[in-house]
PDB file of all heavy atoms in Angstrom:
ATOM      1  N   VAL A   1     123.305  57.593 132.579  1.00  0.00           N
ATOM      2  CA  VAL A   1     122.518  56.896 131.574  1.00  0.00           C
ATOM      3  C   VAL A   1     121.858  57.843 130.695  1.00  0.00           C
ATOM      4  O   VAL A   1     121.222  58.851 131.113  1.00  0.00           O
ATOM      5  CB  VAL A   1     121.565  55.967 132.271  1.00  0.00           C
ATOM      6  CG1 VAL A   1     120.606  55.284 131.154  1.00  0.00           C
ATOM      7  CG2 VAL A   1     122.156  54.961 133.137  1.00  0.00           C
ATOM      8  N   ARG A   2     121.996  57.685 129.341  1.00  0.00           N
ATOM      9  CA  ARG A   2     121.338  58.529 128.343  1.00  0.00           C
ATOM     10  C   ARG A   2     119.981  57.915 128.011  1.00  0.00           C
ATOM     11  O   ARG A   2     119.862  56.784 127.720  1.00  0.00           O
ATOM     12  CB  ARG A   2     122.202  58.632 127.091  1.00  0.00           C
ATOM     13  CG  ARG A   2     123.504  59.303 127.323  1.00  0.00           C
ATOM     14  CD  ARG A   2     124.365  59.337 126.052  1.00  0.00           C
ATOM     15  NE  ARG A   2     123.810  60.202 125.029  1.00  0.00           N
ATOM     16  CZ  ARG A   2     123.257  59.742 123.932  1.00  0.00           C
ATOM     17  NH1 ARG A   2     123.069  58.454 123.700  1.00  0.00           N
ATOM     18  NH2 ARG A   2     122.799  60.644 123.031  1.00  0.00           N
ATOM     19  N   ASN A   3     118.998  58.737 128.065  1.00  0.00           N
ATOM     20  CA  ASN A   3     117.642  58.336 127.723  1.00  0.00           C
ATOM     21  C   ASN A   3     117.040  59.284 126.654  1.00  0.00           C
ATOM     22  O   ASN A   3     117.022  60.486 126.856  1.00  0.00           O
ATOM     23  CB  ASN A   3     116.763  58.418 129.020  1.00  0.00           C
ATOM     24  CG  ASN A   3     115.389  57.777 128.791  1.00  0.00           C
ATOM     25  OD1 ASN A   3     115.227  56.980 127.881  1.00  0.00           O
ATOM     26  ND2 ASN A   3     114.443  58.156 129.627  1.00  0.00           N
ATOM     27  N   VAL A   4     116.575  58.735 125.561  1.00  0.00           N
ATOM     28  CA  VAL A   4     116.137  59.404 124.443  1.00  0.00           C
ATOM     29  C   VAL A   4     114.607  59.405 124.368  1.00  0.00           C
ATOM     30  O   VAL A   4     113.983  58.319 124.355  1.00  0.00           O
ATOM     31  CB  VAL A   4     116.698  58.968 123.111  1.00  0.00           C
ATOM     32  CG1 VAL A   4     116.219  59.804 121.920  1.00  0.00           C
ATOM     33  CG2 VAL A   4     118.208  58.942 123.175  1.00  0.00           C
ATOM     34  N   GLN A   5     113.980  60.533 124.204  1.00  0.00           N
ATOM     35  CA  GLN A   5     112.508  60.655 124.130  1.00  0.00           C
ATOM     36  C   GLN A   5     112.064  61.572 123.012  1.00  0.00           C
ATOM     37  O   GLN A   5     112.938  62.441 122.597  1.00  0.00           O
ATOM     38  CB  GLN A   5     111.964  61.180 125.478  1.00  0.00           C
ATOM     39  CG  GLN A   5     112.161  60.293 126.697  1.00  0.00           C
ATOM     40  CD  GLN A   5     111.551  60.869 127.950  1.00  0.00           C
ATOM     41  OE1 GLN A   5     111.129  62.014 127.974  1.00  0.00           O
ATOM     42  NE2 GLN A   5     111.512  60.041 128.980  1.00  0.00           N
ATOM     43  N   VAL A   6     110.888  61.357 122.570  1.00  0.00           N
ATOM     44  CA  VAL A   6     110.341  62.219 121.506  1.00  0.00           C
ATOM     45  C   VAL A   6     110.056  63.595 122.090  1.00  0.00           C
ATOM     46  O   VAL A   6     109.629  63.791 123.242  1.00  0.00           O
ATOM     47  CB  VAL A   6     108.968  61.613 120.954  1.00  0.00           C
ATOM     48  CG1 VAL A   6     108.292  62.591 119.932  1.00  0.00           C
ATOM     49  CG2 VAL A   6     109.206  60.302 120.329  1.00  0.00           C
ATOM     50  N   CYS A   7     110.450  64.615 121.350  1.00  0.00           N
ATOM     51  CA  CYS A   7     110.256  65.969 121.805  1.00  0.00           C
ATOM     52  C   CYS A   7     108.751  66.295 122.101  1.00  0.00           C
ATOM     53  O   CYS A   7     107.923  66.092 121.228  1.00  0.00           O
ATOM     54  CB  CYS A   7     110.699  66.925 120.755  1.00  0.00           C
ATOM     55  SG  CYS A   7     110.563  68.736 121.241  1.00  0.00           S
ATOM     56  N   PRO A   8     108.455  66.646 123.321  1.00  0.00           N
ATOM     57  CA  PRO A   8     107.044  66.962 123.684  1.00  0.00           C
ATOM     58  C   PRO A   8     106.503  68.198 123.011  1.00  0.00           C
ATOM     59  O   PRO A   8     105.184  68.359 122.904  1.00  0.00           O
ATOM     60  CB  PRO A   8     107.148  67.129 125.209  1.00  0.00           C
ATOM     61  CG  PRO A   8     108.482  67.610 125.490  1.00  0.00           C
ATOM     62  CD  PRO A   8     109.406  66.985 124.430  1.00  0.00           C
ATOM     63  N   ASP A   9     107.265  69.128 122.537  1.00  0.00           N
ATOM     64  CA  ASP A   9     106.869  70.349 121.945  1.00  0.00           C
ATOM     65  C   ASP A   9     106.475  70.188 120.486  1.00  0.00           C
ATOM     66  O   ASP A   9     105.377  70.607 120.040  1.00  0.00           O
ATOM     67  CB  ASP A   9     107.880  71.437 122.041  1.00  0.00           C
ATOM     68  CG  ASP A   9     108.018  71.887 123.503  1.00  0.00           C
ATOM     69  OD1 ASP A   9     107.410  71.387 124.423  1.00  0.00           O
ATOM     70  OD2 ASP A   9     108.897  72.834 123.772  1.00  0.00           O
ATOM     71  N   CYS A  10     107.322  69.520 119.667  1.00  0.00           N
ATOM     72  CA  CYS A  10     107.035  69.324 118.264  1.00  0.00           C
ATOM     73  C   CYS A  10     106.530  67.960 117.943  1.00  0.00           C
ATOM     74  O   CYS A  10     106.291  67.664 116.742  1.00  0.00           O
ATOM     75  CB  CYS A  10     108.322  69.643 117.430  1.00  0.00           C
ATOM     76  SG  CYS A  10     109.626  68.424 117.698  1.00  0.00           S
ATOM     77  N   HIS A  11     106.511  67.086 118.917  1.00  0.00           N
ATOM     78  CA  HIS A  11     106.002  65.760 118.762  1.00  0.00           C
ATOM     79  C   HIS A  11     106.832  64.985 117.709  1.00  0.00           C
ATOM     80  O   HIS A  11     106.245  64.106 116.954  1.00  0.00           O
ATOM     81  CB  HIS A  11     104.463  65.722 118.383  1.00  0.00           C
ATOM     82  CG  HIS A  11     103.623  66.448 119.355  1.00  0.00           C
ATOM     83  ND1 HIS A  11     103.408  66.006 120.649  1.00  0.00           N
ATOM     84  CD2 HIS A  11     102.984  67.674 119.237  1.00  0.00           C
ATOM     85  CE1 HIS A  11     102.607  66.886 121.243  1.00  0.00           C
ATOM     86  NE2 HIS A  11     102.363  67.886 120.470  1.00  0.00           N
ATOM     87  N   GLY A  12     108.088  65.183 117.636  1.00  0.00           N
ATOM     88  CA  GLY A  12     108.974  64.444 116.806  1.00  0.00           C
ATOM     89  C   GLY A  12     109.123  65.053 115.372  1.00  0.00           C
ATOM     90  O   GLY A  12     109.942  64.478 114.607  1.00  0.00           O
ATOM     91  N   THR A  13     108.428  66.115 115.013  1.00  0.00           N
ATOM     92  CA  THR A  13     108.468  66.600 113.705  1.00  0.00           C
ATOM     93  C   THR A  13     109.669  67.572 113.585  1.00  0.00           C
ATOM     94  O   THR A  13     110.165  67.790 112.427  1.00  0.00           O
ATOM     95  CB  THR A  13     107.252  67.439 113.353  1.00  0.00           C
ATOM     96  OG1 THR A  13     107.110  68.533 114.277  1.00  0.00           O
ATOM     97  CG2 THR A  13     105.970  66.604 113.432  1.00  0.00           C
ATOM     98  N   GLY A  14     110.205  68.090 114.669  1.00  0.00           N
ATOM     99  CA  GLY A  14     111.249  69.035 114.490  1.00  0.00           C
ATOM    100  C   GLY A  14     110.903  70.475 114.177  1.00  0.00           C
ATOM    101  O   GLY A  14     111.721  71.360 114.014  1.00  0.00           O
ATOM    102  N   LYS A  15     109.610  70.696 113.955  1.00  0.00           N
ATOM    103  CA  LYS A  15     109.060  72.006 113.533  1.00  0.00           C
ATOM    104  C   LYS A  15     107.921  72.475 114.510  1.00  0.00           C
ATOM    105  O   LYS A  15     107.241  71.690 115.070  1.00  0.00           O
ATOM    106  CB  LYS A  15     108.477  71.949 112.159  1.00  0.00           C
ATOM    107  CG  LYS A  15     109.486  71.593 111.058  1.00  0.00           C
ATOM    108  CD  LYS A  15     110.513  72.676 110.856  1.00  0.00           C
ATOM    109  CE  LYS A  15     111.434  72.287 109.695  1.00  0.00           C
ATOM    110  NZ  LYS A  15     112.435  73.346 109.482  1.00  0.00           N
ATOM    111  N   ILE A  16     107.887  73.794 114.743  1.00  0.00           N
ATOM    112  CA  ILE A  16     106.938  74.452 115.527  1.00  0.00           C
ATOM    113  C   ILE A  16     106.200  75.424 114.718  1.00  0.00           C
ATOM    114  O   ILE A  16     106.768  76.238 113.964  1.00  0.00           O
ATOM    115  CB  ILE A  16     107.556  75.149 116.736  1.00  0.00           C
ATOM    116  CG1 ILE A  16     108.182  74.145 117.703  1.00  0.00           C
ATOM    117  CG2 ILE A  16     106.536  76.039 117.482  1.00  0.00           C
ATOM    118  CD1 ILE A  16     107.183  73.245 118.405  1.00  0.00           C
ATOM    119  N   ILE A  17     104.816  75.401 114.757  1.00  0.00           N
ATOM    120  CA  ILE A  17     104.007  76.372 114.044  1.00  0.00           C
ATOM    121  C   ILE A  17     103.570  77.527 115.041  1.00  0.00           C
ATOM    122  O   ILE A  17     102.771  77.229 115.927  1.00  0.00           O
ATOM    123  CB  ILE A  17     102.784  75.727 113.462  1.00  0.00           C
ATOM    124  CG1 ILE A  17     103.228  74.597 112.498  1.00  0.00           C
ATOM    125  CG2 ILE A  17     101.925  76.706 112.666  1.00  0.00           C
ATOM    126  CD1 ILE A  17     102.053  73.791 111.974  1.00  0.00           C
ATOM    127  N   LYS A  18     104.132  78.703 114.858  1.00  0.00           N
ATOM    128  CA  LYS A  18     103.750  79.819 115.716  1.00  0.00           C
ATOM    129  C   LYS A  18     102.422  80.467 115.319  1.00  0.00           C
ATOM    130  O   LYS A  18     101.571  80.681 116.139  1.00  0.00           O
ATOM    131  CB  LYS A  18     104.862  80.832 115.700  1.00  0.00           C
ATOM    132  CG  LYS A  18     106.192  80.393 116.412  1.00  0.00           C
ATOM    133  CD  LYS A  18     107.183  81.546 116.438  1.00  0.00           C
ATOM    134  CE  LYS A  18     108.364  81.114 117.190  1.00  0.00           C
ATOM    135  NZ  LYS A  18     109.401  82.244 117.313  1.00  0.00           N
ATOM    136  N   ASP A  19     102.277  80.779 114.077  1.00  0.00           N
ATOM    137  CA  ASP A  19     101.028  81.307 113.579  1.00  0.00           C
ATOM    138  C   ASP A  19     100.298  80.255 112.758  1.00  0.00           C
ATOM    139  O   ASP A  19     100.625  79.949 111.608  1.00  0.00           O
ATOM    140  CB  ASP A  19     101.333  82.576 112.627  1.00  0.00           C
ATOM    141  CG  ASP A  19     101.964  83.687 113.450  1.00  0.00           C
ATOM    142  OD1 ASP A  19     101.611  83.927 114.614  1.00  0.00           O
ATOM    143  OD2 ASP A  19     102.942  84.360 112.931  1.00  0.00           O
ATOM    144  N   LYS A  20      99.256  79.723 113.328  1.00  0.00           N
ATOM    145  CA  LYS A  20      98.505  78.679 112.708  1.00  0.00           C
ATOM    146  C   LYS A  20      97.636  79.126 111.565  1.00  0.00           C
ATOM    147  O   LYS A  20      97.045  80.268 111.686  1.00  0.00           O
ATOM    148  CB  LYS A  20      97.726  77.838 113.731  1.00  0.00           C
ATOM    149  CG  LYS A  20      98.617  77.109 114.749  1.00  0.00           C
ATOM    150  CD  LYS A  20      97.749  76.268 115.673  1.00  0.00           C
ATOM    151  CE  LYS A  20      98.612  75.550 116.720  1.00  0.00           C
ATOM    152  NZ  LYS A  20      97.851  74.722 117.672  1.00  0.00           N
ATOM    153  N   CYS A  21      97.406  78.330 110.587  1.00  0.00           N
ATOM    154  CA  CYS A  21      96.496  78.618 109.514  1.00  0.00           C
ATOM    155  C   CYS A  21      95.097  78.711 110.038  1.00  0.00           C
ATOM    156  O   CYS A  21      94.620  77.718 110.692  1.00  0.00           O
ATOM    157  CB  CYS A  21      96.660  77.656 108.405  1.00  0.00           C
ATOM    158  SG  CYS A  21      95.396  77.783 107.092  1.00  0.00           S
ATOM    159  N   PRO A  22      94.293  79.754 109.806  1.00  0.00           N
ATOM    160  CA  PRO A  22      92.968  79.845 110.377  1.00  0.00           C
ATOM    161  C   PRO A  22      91.927  78.845 109.745  1.00  0.00           C
ATOM    162  O   PRO A  22      90.982  78.470 110.344  1.00  0.00           O
ATOM    163  CB  PRO A  22      92.508  81.261 110.062  1.00  0.00           C
ATOM    164  CG  PRO A  22      93.347  81.676 108.858  1.00  0.00           C
ATOM    165  CD  PRO A  22      94.700  80.975 109.075  1.00  0.00           C
ATOM    166  N   ASP A  23      92.246  78.353 108.556  1.00  0.00           N
ATOM    167  CA  ASP A  23      91.343  77.492 107.899  1.00  0.00           C
ATOM    168  C   ASP A  23      91.421  76.048 108.347  1.00  0.00           C
ATOM    169  O   ASP A  23      90.447  75.382 108.527  1.00  0.00           O
ATOM    170  CB  ASP A  23      91.570  77.518 106.324  1.00  0.00           C
ATOM    171  CG  ASP A  23      91.274  78.915 105.677  1.00  0.00           C
ATOM    172  OD1 ASP A  23      90.450  79.598 106.297  1.00  0.00           O
ATOM    173  OD2 ASP A  23      91.780  79.190 104.635  1.00  0.00           O
ATOM    174  N   CYS A  24      92.568  75.612 108.599  1.00  0.00           N
ATOM    175  CA  CYS A  24      92.809  74.174 109.051  1.00  0.00           C
ATOM    176  C   CYS A  24      93.203  74.165 110.489  1.00  0.00           C
ATOM    177  O   CYS A  24      93.517  73.003 111.049  1.00  0.00           O
ATOM    178  CB  CYS A  24      93.814  73.475 108.125  1.00  0.00           C
ATOM    179  SG  CYS A  24      95.573  74.137 108.288  1.00  0.00           S
ATOM    180  N   ARG A  25      93.400  75.328 111.139  1.00  0.00           N
ATOM    181  CA  ARG A  25      93.788  75.390 112.535  1.00  0.00           C
ATOM    182  C   ARG A  25      95.192  74.731 112.821  1.00  0.00           C
ATOM    183  O   ARG A  25      95.297  74.109 113.912  1.00  0.00           O
ATOM    184  CB  ARG A  25      92.707  74.778 113.444  1.00  0.00           C
ATOM    185  CG  ARG A  25      91.365  75.450 113.393  1.00  0.00           C
ATOM    186  CD  ARG A  25      90.358  74.840 114.221  1.00  0.00           C
ATOM    187  NE  ARG A  25      89.033  75.542 114.198  1.00  0.00           N
ATOM    188  CZ  ARG A  25      87.972  75.209 114.772  1.00  0.00           C
ATOM    189  NH1 ARG A  25      88.016  74.176 115.547  1.00  0.00           N
ATOM    190  NH2 ARG A  25      86.877  75.849 114.612  1.00  0.00           N
ATOM    191  N   GLY A  26      96.055  74.841 111.898  1.00  0.00           N
ATOM    192  CA  GLY A  26      97.326  74.381 112.088  1.00  0.00           C
ATOM    193  C   GLY A  26      97.534  72.878 111.707  1.00  0.00           C
ATOM    194  O   GLY A  26      98.660  72.384 111.802  1.00  0.00           O
ATOM    195  N   THR A  27      96.513  72.181 111.326  1.00  0.00           N
ATOM    196  CA  THR A  27      96.685  70.753 111.027  1.00  0.00           C
ATOM    197  C   THR A  27      97.231  70.494 109.659  1.00  0.00           C
ATOM    198  O   THR A  27      97.854  69.491 109.412  1.00  0.00           O
ATOM    199  CB  THR A  27      95.334  70.009 111.138  1.00  0.00           C
ATOM    200  OG1 THR A  27      94.374  70.492 110.176  1.00  0.00           O
ATOM    201  CG2 THR A  27      94.788  70.214 112.532  1.00  0.00           C
ATOM    202  N   GLY A  28      96.991  71.503 108.738  1.00  0.00           N
ATOM    203  CA  GLY A  28      97.377  71.315 107.351  1.00  0.00           C
ATOM    204  C   GLY A  28      96.423  70.610 106.502  1.00  0.00           C
ATOM    205  O   GLY A  28      96.647  70.462 105.291  1.00  0.00           O
ATOM    206  N   TYR A  29      95.280  70.155 107.093  1.00  0.00           N
ATOM    207  CA  TYR A  29      94.284  69.392 106.287  1.00  0.00           C
ATOM    208  C   TYR A  29      92.874  69.783 106.662  1.00  0.00           C
ATOM    209  O   TYR A  29      92.559  70.328 107.763  1.00  0.00           O
ATOM    210  CB  TYR A  29      94.441  67.882 106.614  1.00  0.00           C
ATOM    211  CG  TYR A  29      95.827  67.404 106.179  1.00  0.00           C
ATOM    212  CD1 TYR A  29      96.781  67.344 107.095  1.00  0.00           C
ATOM    213  CD2 TYR A  29      96.054  66.979 104.868  1.00  0.00           C
ATOM    214  CE1 TYR A  29      98.147  66.881 106.687  1.00  0.00           C
ATOM    215  CE2 TYR A  29      97.256  66.455 104.463  1.00  0.00           C
ATOM    216  CZ  TYR A  29      98.320  66.491 105.351  1.00  0.00           C
ATOM    217  OH  TYR A  29      99.570  65.973 105.005  1.00  0.00           O
ATOM    218  N   ILE A  30      92.007  69.692 105.649  1.00  0.00           N
ATOM    219  CA  ILE A  30      90.593  69.984 105.839  1.00  0.00           C
ATOM    220  C   ILE A  30      89.764  68.721 105.708  1.00  0.00           C
ATOM    221  O   ILE A  30      89.893  68.026 104.674  1.00  0.00           O
ATOM    222  CB  ILE A  30      90.111  70.987 104.787  1.00  0.00           C
ATOM    223  CG1 ILE A  30      90.957  72.324 104.900  1.00  0.00           C
ATOM    224  CG2 ILE A  30      88.628  71.333 104.966  1.00  0.00           C
ATOM    225  CD1 ILE A  30      90.712  73.024 106.166  1.00  0.00           C
ATOM    226  N   PRO A  31      88.866  68.343 106.674  1.00  0.00           N
ATOM    227  CA  PRO A  31      88.013  67.167 106.492  1.00  0.00           C
ATOM    228  C   PRO A  31      87.007  67.264 105.339  1.00  0.00           C
ATOM    229  O   PRO A  31      86.337  68.330 105.266  1.00  0.00           O
ATOM    230  CB  PRO A  31      87.276  67.032 107.877  1.00  0.00           C
ATOM    231  CG  PRO A  31      88.130  67.853 108.791  1.00  0.00           C
ATOM    232  CD  PRO A  31      88.683  68.980 108.000  1.00  0.00           C
ATOM    233  N   MET A  32      86.931  66.319 104.479  1.00  0.00           N
ATOM    234  CA  MET A  32      86.053  66.295 103.400  1.00  0.00           C
ATOM    235  C   MET A  32      85.379  64.979 103.272  1.00  0.00           C
ATOM    236  O   MET A  32      86.060  63.978 103.371  1.00  0.00           O
ATOM    237  CB  MET A  32      86.792  66.649 102.080  1.00  0.00           C
ATOM    238  CG  MET A  32      87.476  68.026 102.041  1.00  0.00           C
ATOM    239  SD  MET A  32      86.221  69.403 101.923  1.00  0.00           S
ATOM    240  CE  MET A  32      85.679  69.158 100.247  1.00  0.00           C
ATOM    241  N   LYS A  33      84.011  64.962 102.950  1.00  0.00           N
ATOM    242  CA  LYS A  33      83.304  63.704 102.795  1.00  0.00           C
ATOM    243  C   LYS A  33      83.367  63.372 101.296  1.00  0.00           C
ATOM    244  O   LYS A  33      83.000  64.251 100.426  1.00  0.00           O
ATOM    245  CB  LYS A  33      81.897  63.826 103.285  1.00  0.00           C
ATOM    246  CG  LYS A  33      81.682  63.880 104.756  1.00  0.00           C
ATOM    247  CD  LYS A  33      80.258  63.838 105.187  1.00  0.00           C
ATOM    248  CE  LYS A  33      80.132  63.874 106.694  1.00  0.00           C
ATOM    249  NZ  LYS A  33      78.668  63.803 107.147  1.00  0.00           N
TER     250      LYS A  33
END
């Protein structure tokens, strides 16, 4: 039986960030009010 699951490492994005941006900590976004 074949069972398909979301990749636990990349969470479905297909990409891995090795060196994270220090400003956004790898999220790609900065919280702003």
Side-chain angles (χ1 to χ4, degrees):
V1 176
R2 295 176 71 250
N3 189 21
V4 181
Q5 295 181 349
V6 175
C7 176
D9 290 0
C10 67
H11 305 290
T13 63
K15 298 290 184 180
I16 293 291
I17 301 175
K18 290 186 175 181
D19 296 321
K20 296 182 179 180
C21 172
D23 294 338
C24 66
R25 298 180 181 179
T27 63
Y29 297 93
I30 302 293
M32 298 288 290
K33 289 186 177 181

